[in-house]
Amino acid sequence: MNKLTKYIITVSAISLLLVGCDLKKKDDAQKKVSTIEEIQKEKGKPARVVKSASAKLTDVRKFSGTIEGIQQTKAISKMGDPLATINVQIGNTVKKDQVLAEYIFTGDNTQYQQAQEQVALLEKATERMREVYAKGGITQQNMDSQEMQLKIAKMNLETARRATKILAPAAGVVTELNFQVGQVPGVGGALCTIAKLDKVILKLSVTSKDIGYFKKGISATVNMNGKKLQGKVSLVPLAADPTTRFFPVEITFNNSKKDLLPGMFVTAEVDARQVEGIIVPAEAVVYRNGMNMIWTVDENGKAKRKMVQVGIQTKNDVQITEGLEAGETVIVEGMGRMNDGDKVLIVE
């Protein structure tokens, strides 16, 4: 046998061996597929399940509004002159009657100087009358009248003095500053806003549809950068605002760390109400073609699809109002592979 013949026989043998291996792999693969199908037919399709149960569920609803200080007042200008100095900035803590700003002296704001002259004049006159009264030259009534005039003049002086400066109407934190040095707030203009920030109020404008969810004392939560702040509904009005037609609801938060600041627009989750009913995990409900469905496992271990009506929904749970009873076995994982009547293999 020559070399060429030997080579051809060798190649042919190797080829037959490879073909045999490929056929064996295909047979093994087909046998494996068949085995999986047989296992599912015999044991059932795997699924994770829970028991539906009657329980209470909190209806959490979201409402947005603006934060305000619990006691918020404005420092009002009483003169129409330019500002000479402003002694505070936003964020400063102030005491009641602290001088916040002073005016530039002009020829128009001389009322304080006039009041000073009046007091000085009456003090001299009163002192002379006291000497006369001591000698019996005037009656007690005349002396009392003079003393009253001096007292009123001093009160007018204090009023005029306070008008020459803008004073803090209450203690708190400056949260808003509306003017700069040289500007004119005008009579009645608000130089700044002062608020107490140890507690703050979230003011909500609630519609007629939603006002029924609010009761004084129910809990509310605001999430600020991953930190949950707890508050309570502190005011539920009995009438809507006649202009806006909304109900001005207030939620009070303790704010010792100043996490919430006036002017912030935040969203609160309000524990509106509690309901009792059939509760299942949210992943058990499948929404398809405009309908809510749940897969259950019957007493024979077979999969059964049910149309249901849902009620309150939270992040983790759903209330079922129709189509499901307490104690039924509900599929929460594996329903994507199920058909009605399939045998179910319950797994942990």
Side-chain angles (χ1 to χ4, degrees):
M1 188 179 296
N2 58 33
K3 291 183 178 179
L4 179 59
T5 303
K6 288 181 179 180
Y7 177 78
I8 292 171
I9 292 172
T10 302
V11 170
S12 299
I14 293 172
S15 298
L16 289 171
L17 181 61
L18 292 176
V19 169
C21 290
D22 288 341
L23 290 174
K24 187 174 185 303
K25 287 181 180 178
K26 289 180 181 179
D27 289 342
D28 289 343
Q30 289 175 354
K31 185 175 180 182
K32 186 176 180 180
V33 171
S34 177
T35 302
I36 292 174
E37 291 174 350
E38 288 175 359
I39 289 174
Q40 287 188 345
K41 185 176 181 180
E42 180 184 353
K43 302 291 185 180
K45 292 183 178 179
R48 190 168 61 84
V49 301
V50 297
K51 289 284 187 179
S52 62
S54 180
K56 288 184 178 180
L57 192 64
T58 301
D59 183 8
V60 179
R61 296 185 176 252
K62 294 183 178 181
F63 298 90
S64 299
T66 304
I67 295 293
E68 293 185 6
I70 195 166
Q71 292 181 4
Q72 193 161 285
T73 56
K74 295 184 182 295
I76 303 300
S77 170
K78 297 180 180 179
M79 299 184 69
D81 296 293
L83 296 172
T85 59
I86 297 176
N87 304 323
V88 293
Q89 297 177 344
I90 292 176
N92 287 166
T93 299
V94 299
K95 298 179 180 179
K96 187 178 186 305
D97 289 336
Q98 181 176 327
V99 177
L100 305 178
E102 299 181 55
Y103 299 99
I104 295 174
F105 179 78
T106 67
D108 297 327
N109 55 12
T110 58
Q111 185 176 359
Y112 176 56
Q113 288 73 21
Q114 291 173 2
Q116 282 182 311
E117 293 295 332
Q118 181 71 16
V119 168
L121 181 63
L122 284 172
E123 283 179 336
K124 291 179 181 178
T126 302
E127 187 60 32
R128 288 195 300 269
M129 289 188 69
R130 287 191 184 113
E131 294 175 359
V132 174
Y133 173 72
K135 297 176 180 179
I138 59 174
T139 65
Q140 180 68 48
Q141 183 177 359
N142 289 335
M143 190 68 242
D144 289 345
S145 177
Q146 181 65 28
E147 294 279 5
M148 180 57 70
Q149 289 183 50
L150 177 59
K151 185 176 181 180
I152 291 172
K154 287 182 177 180
M155 292 171 63
N156 290 336
L157 174 61
E158 177 59 18
T159 300
R161 185 193 71 80
R162 293 174 69 88
T164 63
K165 301 174 174 60
I166 300 179
L167 307 180
V173 177
V174 177
T175 60
E176 183 182 27
L177 192 60
N178 302 317
F179 295 95
Q180 298 177 355
V181 171
Q183 292 183 325
V184 181
V187 177
L191 171 71
C192 64
T193 301
I194 298 171
K196 288 187 176 180
L197 299 182
D198 55 335
K199 286 187 177 181
V200 293
I201 293 172
L202 172 60
K203 288 200 169 183
L204 306 176
S205 295
V206 179
T207 64
S208 300
K209 177 183 176 182
D210 293 329
I211 190 61
Y213 293 120
F214 287 89
K215 298 290 184 294
K216 189 174 180 180
I218 63 175
S219 299
T221 304
V222 167
N223 193 322
M224 292 296 295
N225 301 318
K227 184 177 181 179
K228 289 188 176 182
L229 308 175
Q230 300 291 331
K232 289 187 180 296
V233 174
S234 52
L235 176 65
V236 181
L238 298 178
D241 184 294
T243 303
T244 64
R245 303 299 181 186
F246 289 108
F247 290 83
V249 173
E250 295 182 1
I251 302 174
T252 300
F253 292 86
N254 289 321
N255 193 44
S256 58
K257 294 185 179 179
K258 309 296 187 293
D259 295 302
L260 297 171
L261 299 175
M264 283 184 172
F265 188 79
V266 300
T267 298
E269 293 184 346
V270 179
D271 295 344
R273 57 177 174 160
Q274 278 197 332
V275 297
E276 188 166 358
I278 307 302
I279 308 300
V280 298
E283 59 265 32
V285 181
V286 179
Y287 183 78
R288 188 175 297 165
N289 298 327
M291 295 178 291
N292 291 298
M293 296 176 292
I294 281 181
W295 286 88
T296 63
V297 181
D298 64 18
E299 62 276 8
N300 298 316
K302 300 295 183 63
K304 184 178 181 181
R305 184 175 59 178
K306 290 187 173 185
M307 305 299 175
V308 295
Q309 296 291 328
V310 301
I312 293 172
Q313 302 180 50
T314 68
K315 182 179 179 180
N316 299 316
D317 299 300
V318 177
Q319 177 197 19
I320 305 300
T321 58
E322 291 182 22
L324 189 69
E325 300 295 331
E328 292 195 58
T329 302
V330 177
I331 298 176
V332 294
E333 189 176 330
M335 65 280 278
R337 300 183 296 271
M338 292 294 174
N339 297 304
D340 269 322
D342 282 349
K343 189 171 184 179
V344 180
L345 174 63
I346 296 176
V347 297
E348 296 295 331

